[in-house]
Amino acid sequence: MKRLILGLGIFGWLVVTGNARDVGQWDAINPEIRGWYQALMQPDVPNASCCGEADAYWADEIHVRDGKTFATITDDRPDEPRGRPHVEIGTEIEIPDNKLKWDKSNPTGHGIVFLSRNRYVFCYVQPGGV
């Protein structure tokens, strides 16, 4: 029984700590922007990171339809250096209201949606600001 409880505890820890990935994506990025990515926290879970560039997709088009917010992927950067799965340009992602992040400026010049591998939305940060 102790082994089962220990195993479940370790599995839970891996699930919680395994979201953010560092696959070398920070090596060639401006240190100011790197710091911005690393400091972003989820609006509904303020002690959880939005994740990083390996989870970030440019989504410069945002609109509301039937009371729901959608961002359209506009990211034409290669996925391999970022270690992220490919999401086609033009893909619409529904952004839950609790994932809209309006409290931080955005030095990238792009709206950014942070997605898990199964397209769970961690955060959406609007374009603009410095």
Side-chain angles (χ1 to χ4, degrees):
M1 184 64 157
K2 285 184 179 180
R3 282 186 177 168
L4 175 62
I5 292 170
L6 178 62
L8 290 173
I10 291 171
F11 176 75
W13 178 80
L14 288 172
V15 169
V16 170
T17 62
N19 283 336
R21 293 173 285 128
D22 185 353
V23 291
Q25 70 273 20
W26 303 116
D27 295 345
I29 193 165
N30 173 319
E32 182 179 313
I33 292 177
R34 174 180 39 226
W36 177 81
Y37 273 113
Q38 293 172 336
L40 284 176
M41 299 306 224
Q42 295 181 36
D44 59 333
V45 188
N47 60 344
S49 171
C50 283
C51 290
E53 193 185 10
D55 309 291
Y57 297 83
W58 293 344
D60 295 318
E61 299 172 18
I62 187 166
H63 60 277
V64 176
R65 183 174 64 243
D66 297 326
K68 296 180 179 180
T69 303
F70 295 87
T72 303
I73 300 297
T74 57
D75 201 331
D76 60 355
R77 299 174 297 168
D79 297 312
E80 294 77 22
R82 289 164 182 79
R84 65 182 188 185
H86 184 69
V87 178
E88 289 289 327
I89 292 174
T91 300
E92 269 191 351
I93 305 291
E94 183 179 344
I95 311 295
D97 290 343
N98 63 324
K99 295 300 184 177
L100 293 166
K101 187 153 184 69
W102 303 103
D103 65 340
K104 288 281 189 186
S105 61
N106 179 344
T108 68
H110 295 278
I112 299 177
V113 63
F114 293 84
L115 300 173
S116 71
R117 296 216 173 254
N118 63 355
R119 296 195 184 172
Y120 171 82
V121 175
F122 293 115
C123 303
Y124 175 80
V125 183
Q126 80 285 357
V130 178

